[in-house]
Amino acid sequence: MAGYEIRIANCKKGKSLFATKQYEQGDVILEEDPLVSCQFAWNAAYRYLACDHCMRPLETPEQNVRRLSCKPDIVLPHSNCYESNLENVTTCDHCGVLYCCESCKQQAYVIYHRSLCHDISDVQHPVMVLLEAWKQMHYPPETTNILLLVRILAYIQQSPDPTAAAAKIKQFCHRTVNEDAELVHKLLGDQFTDQLNTLRELTANVISGDHIQQFLTPDGFCTLMALIGTNGQGIGTSPLAMWVNNVLELTMSDDERQQLDLFIDKLYQYVEEESGTFLNTEGSGLYQLQSSCNHSCVPNAESSFPYGNHRLQLKALKTIMPGDEICISYLDECSLQRSRHSRQKELAQNYLFVCWCERCSAQSSQPDCTSEEDMSDEEVDADD
């Protein structure tokens, strides 16, 4: 029996996730696969090979670190600490995209791929034209991908009940403006009007039909863009990170542990020198349950991807009592450590709300500009 329920917290928050039983720190609250997910466009362009459906990396930890560090002679010890299962890799019979297994291939075809299958070597195909246009508009670091939006449309189109599927998508928060605070999502500002029109037209060239026509109007397209911007959950998978986590669990002597720690530190140094901090196969997905979790700057739960694919796990960070709202952080660890003003600014741009969680409320007396980053932003705005 589920230990949670979705209900309306208040008119501003909308749907929220609440505990119906007690959870202790480390307890798994839920696991779920997304309705659809997609690797980021530039991430794929930089040769992060992944299953086109579940985003499982399609390289071993050793292959991964060799590519990221450009050191082809690196040999990882304890290679048995990570099961790659690359012998099950398969391809679409028509377009050749890669899948980690036959099951993912079949699921993709049934859910969305039948509508989108195309010759990936044909740069003039509507999907490739759309993808290239998106890449030229949105450089790394990416936060979403136009193909996630396209897969949502294909999911509706291919559903046995397209009307119900469209209604399910509409249940996600898809507002484009927060009227109370006069906030507009950063993807939808006036300066992006021409870009949005271009993307909408190119998307309509990729997929169309009676059941999705409502999402291809100017207003409908904006709501879908806001949906993937506000509800798209970031996904990160890394064979190197999973290998590191697994080897650190091994039993060994203090001397062996010290040598291993030094070796791992050196690996990450090599990778950072060559590839910077972008180590993971990255993308985003649309999760029905997890998307009901609201933000808090003092979250009591967090999402992770322990299986090395797009299956999400939500775990308790502290004791959660029956009736407590289950909250996650929409900000990464670095942003979470910044000032109240900095946090609220990022949340307003990306998620269209002003945060007044217990931490923000307690810090309400802080000045509205406290971080060096925000000072720099204001100086740039003044120069303009």
Side-chain angles (χ1 to χ4, degrees), residues 166-221:
K168 180 182 288 188
I169 294 301
K170 284 181 173 180
Q171 288 176 1
F172 289 88
C173 169
H174 59 277
R175 61 187 177 183
T176 59
V177 177
N178 181 312
E179 294 83 357
D180 292 345
E182 297 183 347
L183 303 173
V184 179
H185 194 277
K186 69 175 186 179
L187 292 175
L188 304 175
D190 291 339
Q191 68 271 36
F192 300 126
T193 300
D194 290 343
Q195 290 186 1
L196 282 169
N197 285 333
T198 298
L199 291 173
R200 182 174 64 85
E201 291 170 1
L202 293 177
T203 298
N205 291 339
V206 171
I207 185 168
S208 60
D210 293 343
H211 297 290
I212 60 173
Q213 202 55 42
Q214 60 185 307
F215 297 108
L216 294 173
T217 65
D219 287 344
F221 191 77

